[in-house]
Amino acid sequence: MLTTGHFIKGCVIALTSIALLQACSKNGNETPPNASAKTEQVQSLAQVERVADGVILTLPDGPAKKVRLQVMADNIIRVTAVPGESLDVVPPSIQVVAQPTTNLPFTTDQQGNNLVLKTDVMTAEVSLSNGVITFRDAAGNLLLQEENRGTFSPVIGDPDDVDADSFAIRQEFNRNTDEGFFGLGQHQNGQVNYAGENVELTTYNLVISIPYVVSSRNYGVLWDNNSITRFGNPHEAQPLNASLKLYDAEGKEGGLTVRYYIGDELKLTRVEADFDHQFLRQGANLENPFPTEVADAYKNNTLRVELEGSVEASTSGKHQFRMYSSGYATLAFDGETVLERWRMNWNPWYHDHYMNMNAGEKKAIRVDWKPDGGYFHLRHLDAQSDEQQHQLSLASETGKAIDYYIVVGDNKDEVIAGYRRLTGKSVMLPKWAYGFWQSRERYKSSDEIITNLKEYRARKIPIDNIVLDWSYWPEDAWGSHDFDKQFFPDPKKLVDQVHDMNAQIMISVWPKFYPTTENYKELNAKGFMFNRNIEEENLDWIGKGYLNAFYDPFTPEATAIFWRQIKDKINVHGFDAWWLDAVEPDIHSNLSFTKRKELMTPNALGNGAEVFNAYAVPHAEGVYHGERNTDGDKRSFILTRSGFGGIQRTGAAIWSGDIVSRWSDMKDQIAAGISVNLAGVTNWTFDIGGFTPENRFRGSKKGFVGSWKDLDKEQVEEWQELNARWYQFGAFVPLYRSHGQNPYREIFNIADQGSETYESMVWYTKLRYRLMPYIYTLAGDTFHKDGTIMRGLVMDFPEDKKAWNINTQYMFGPAFLVNPVVEFKARSREVYLPSGTSWYDFYTGDKHEGGQTIDAAAPYSRMPLFVKAGSIVPTGPAIQYTDEGLNAPLTLNVYTGANGTFEIYEDDGRSYDYEKGQWSRIPVSYDEAKGELTIGDRIGSFEEMAEQRRISVRWISGPTKDAANFDAKPAKTLEYTGKAIIVKRAP
C-alpha cells in the first residue's frame, strides 16, 4: 500500500508529492548524472495525493491536468478529470445527491507505472504516465477501459459567451467491444440495445434523457453533465450536402430536385442543396421560408413536396439518416421505403434509418412530404470505423470537467440500484397511482369531470384518478393559478365530489406565466423569469396569442415561491396530485436548439446550454419538498413530461409526451419504456391511444368527433382496434393511464358496451385491479429493494443474447412476459420465449419450453401474455378502486415447473410511514421437487394491517380453461395469522 514516506528500492515516494522515476538502477541506487543513455529514458509520472475518499493525480502533460478518483461505495467510483489546475471548477451536481464514503476501506498500491485503487468489489488501475483508467471486477475481469484521457475541445454548441474554463468534452471506452448497451432514458426510435448506434441525449416533448448507460457486462456509467450529450458518434447530424455528394433527378451534382405541388398541380421545380424547413425563427415565422410561389399553400395545408435524386458517400460503412418531420413524410432509397411516418404539425421529431454505403457509390433517394403546416429536414451522419462505432463514447457540448461514475454489480438490478444510490431513492407513489387514470385534453368544466367519473362508477369499471388538464384558468391569466369561474366555479366542491366517489383528481400546472399576472411579477422582481421570450415577442397559441415567459427553477428561492403560489391558489382546495407539464422547458415550440438555449439564458446556474437537459429535476423537487413540508402525512405525487437523472427522488412519474395515435408510435413506446426503466427510472407511462390522432379520426363529415359514433364509418374499425390493443398494452406498464385529444378517450366513448372492443378494454382494466397485490409489491420493491417494474429481457435473461435485441417484448415484474400487438388486423404475432425456463400461456395454461420463437395467438380481445414457470402471482378480489384492496383476501397463483419465491408487500398506501418501517411482507416460496408452497412468517407490520388474512392457492401446471379465471375454485383456502404455513400440492 502507498503511504507517506514509503520507500521502493531507494526511491522516495511521498504521496503528497510524487516524482516516480524509472531512472532508479536495479540495485536501488540513483542513476549517475553522467549516464546520459539512461537519462533519456526517464519518464515523468503523475504526482499522487491520497485523500479520505480516494486519490488525486496531477499529470505531467496531456489534455487533463488533474484526475480524481473518489470511492462513493465499494461498488461505485467517481472519476473527474479537468484540463486546469483546480478541481474546484466542477459545479455541484443536479443529478447526484450521494456523497463520497470516507470510512470505506480501500487500498492504493503502485504496480509498475500504474496506481491500483481497490475496494472489496472493484479495482481501478490508473496509468501514472497519462491518467488513463481501467476498471475490473473483484475477479479481475475487464469491465471498462478508457481509450484516452479524454478530449477537451472548444465549445461550439453554446450561443452565449463561453467561460474560459468550459470545454466540449468527450470520453471513449472499450473500443471494438462486443457488449450490449442499454438505458439512456426515453427515446423514440425503437432502440433497446444501443451497441453500434447513436443517441442524442437531449430534452424534448417526446424525449427524456437519463445519462445512465448499463452494460451487458454488469456495470453502469452515469455521465454527470447537463448539456446535450451524444452517445456513439460525437458529432451532430449534418445537412445532407455537408457530408454527402448530392445529385438531382437528372444526375447533375449540386443538390436534389425539389418539386412543389398544390394539390396535384406542379407549381415549382428547382434544385436545392439543403431542403431545410426544420425550425421557426420567431413567432410563427420559419427560419427558412418556402418559395413565394407556394408559401400560401404551406399555410393553408394544400402543399405537397417531392425530393428526388441521388446521394454519394465518401466513406464506406454504416451511415445514419435522421428524418426530422411532422405531417406525412416518406423516405425511400433505391425504390425501397425505409421510413413512413406521420406526426401532428406542431410536434415534429427525428426518425432514424441506418444504411450501409460504399464510398463512391450512388444511392437513389426520394422523399414525399405533405406538411400540413409541419416541419422537415433530412440530416446525415458519416460512417465511423467499426472499432469506433462499437465502443462506449459520451460527448457533451459544454462542461467544466469529464465527470462520471462507474457502478459495478452482479446483475442489472444491482447496477440500477447503484444509479439510485447516487441520484436518490425511487420515492414511493400513493397506491392509487397504480390504478386506472382517465384523462382528456381536456375536460372543460367541473360538470364534465363529475359526469364522466360518475359514468365509470355506474358501469362498474374500476378507476382511481381523473385529471384536470390545462386551461382551467381565465384565458388571459395563464400562471395566475386562478380558476375560470364560469366553468370551474367551486374547485373545492369539485374535489370533494371526486373524493366522495372514492377517486382522486390530478391537476395540470405549467411553469409558464403571462406578464400581467401577479405571480409573474413576484418572480420577475426577484430575477427568476426567462424574459427573452417576451423580449422577442413570441406569442403563444391561446386566443389572440399572449406574451409569456417560463420561470427559472435553478435556485431554491424560486422553486419555493413557485410552490407557495400553487399552494395558496390550488393546493388549498385539496387536489391530490400535480401534473407538471411542458418542463423541458417548451418555452416556444419549434425553435432551434440554439434558440432554446438562448431563451434559458441567463439562469441562476449559468446559461441555457450548461443546464439544457436538467430543468425538470429542480422544478419537480420544489413541488415535492414543498408539498411534503405542507402536507407531511400525504404522499406527494407528480407527473412530469420531462425528466433527468434523479427525477425518481421527487415523487414523480414520467410519461412519453405527445405521441401520436398510430401503430408505429405505439410500437416505439415499448422500447422507450424498457430503456427508461433500464436507466433507473421505473415509474413511467404513456398516453393510451396516443395523444394526437390524424385528422381522419378527429373530424368527420359530421364535424368534430367526440364519441366513436361521430367517426366516419370507414374509420371506426381502426380507431377501435388501435385503442383496444393500446389498452391491453397499457394494463402492463408501471402506470395505467388513458389520455389524448379527441376523439374522447373514455372507454364508453371508444366503443359501446357489449362490443368486443369495449369488453376487452374493461377486461384488462379489471385484470389490472385483480393483479394489484402483485403490482403494488413491484411498486414497494422499487423503493425497498431498488426494483424495476418494466424489465428489458436482458435483465432477467442476460445469457440469452437473442433476448438482448428484442424491442417489442419485456417482463412486467418477475412473472409476466408481455407482448403487445402493434399491427392493425394482426391476429397472431411472433413471440420469443427466452431460454433457461418454461413458459405458460396466461389464458390457456399451455406450457412451452424457452429458447424458441412461436407464433402466438392474438385474437382481437387478447394480447399474448406468458408467465414464467416458478412464478407466484398474488391476486385480489374484484374491486373498483385500490383502497378496497387493503386487507382483502389473497389468492396465490402458483405456476409450477420450477422453484419460485415472492414477497407480498403491503403498507397503508397513502402516507410516508413506510419510511419509518410501517410496512409488512408475506414471504412465499415454492419447492418444485417437494410440491410444497410455504407461506412464511409475516415480516413487519403497519397500523392499518389486519392480523388475519384469508389466502387461497391455485396451481397452474398445464392446460385449463380456468387459467386466467381468478374466481375459479382454488385448490386450498386457509386463514393466515402471520405464522408459517405449508401447503402441499396434490399429486
Side-chain angles (χ1 to χ4, degrees), residues 934-968:
T934 300
I935 306 172
D937 290 340
R938 181 188 284 125
I939 303 167
S941 66
F942 57 100
E943 184 177 346
E944 296 82 0
M945 183 192 79
E947 293 293 335
Q948 186 165 312
R949 296 287 286 279
R950 175 165 293 181
I951 298 180
S952 299
V953 178
R954 299 176 68 228
W955 308 102
I956 310 296
S957 301
T960 169
K961 64 181 177 60
D962 289 326
N965 180 10
F966 300 132
D967 293 322

Side-chain angles (χ1 to χ4, degrees), residues 146-177:
E146 294 181 337
E147 293 296 331
N148 49 45
R149 189 49 279 146
T151 304
F152 299 86
S153 306
V155 175
I156 59 174
D158 188 344
D160 193 31
D161 294 335
V162 177
D163 294 340
D165 56 2
S166 291
F167 300 88
I169 58 174
R170 184 189 186 194
Q171 185 65 61
E172 300 168 80
F173 312 86
N174 291 11
R175 191 167 289 168
N176 206 26
T177 183

Side-chain angles (χ1 to χ4, degrees), residues 244-245 247 310-316 334 356-364:
L244 298 168
K245 287 184 179 180
Y247 301 87
S310 300
V311 295
E312 178 186 324
S314 59
T315 58
S316 297
D334 291 340
N356 288 320
M357 299 179 71
N358 296 319
E361 178 184 5
K362 291 182 181 179
K363 290 278 189 180

Side-chain angles (χ1 to χ4, degrees), residues 524-599:
N524 190 54
K526 293 278 191 175
F528 297 151
M529 293 301 304
F530 294 148
N531 280 321
R532 284 194 179 185
N533 198 53
I534 293 174
E535 294 164 5
E536 297 192 5
E537 299 183 347
N538 288 319
L539 303 180
D540 68 10
W541 65 97
I542 302 301
K544 64 180 183 180
Y546 295 87
L547 291 173
N548 64 94
F550 280 52
Y551 92 111
D552 173 3
F554 293 108
T555 175
E557 186 180 357
T559 57
I561 293 173
F562 183 87
W563 165 253
R564 176 173 47 74
Q565 291 175 349
I566 63 173
K567 173 178 70 74
D568 292 347
K569 290 291 189 75
I570 299 175
N571 191 66
V572 68
H573 299 301
F575 284 89
D576 300 287
W578 306 99
W579 181 0
L580 303 183
D581 208 346
V583 295
E584 293 79 23
D586 188 9
I587 296 175
H588 190 77
S589 298
N590 295 305
L591 297 174
S592 70
F593 285 81
T594 297
K595 181 59 69 175
R596 286 176 59 192
K597 295 168 192 174
E598 290 177 353
L599 293 185

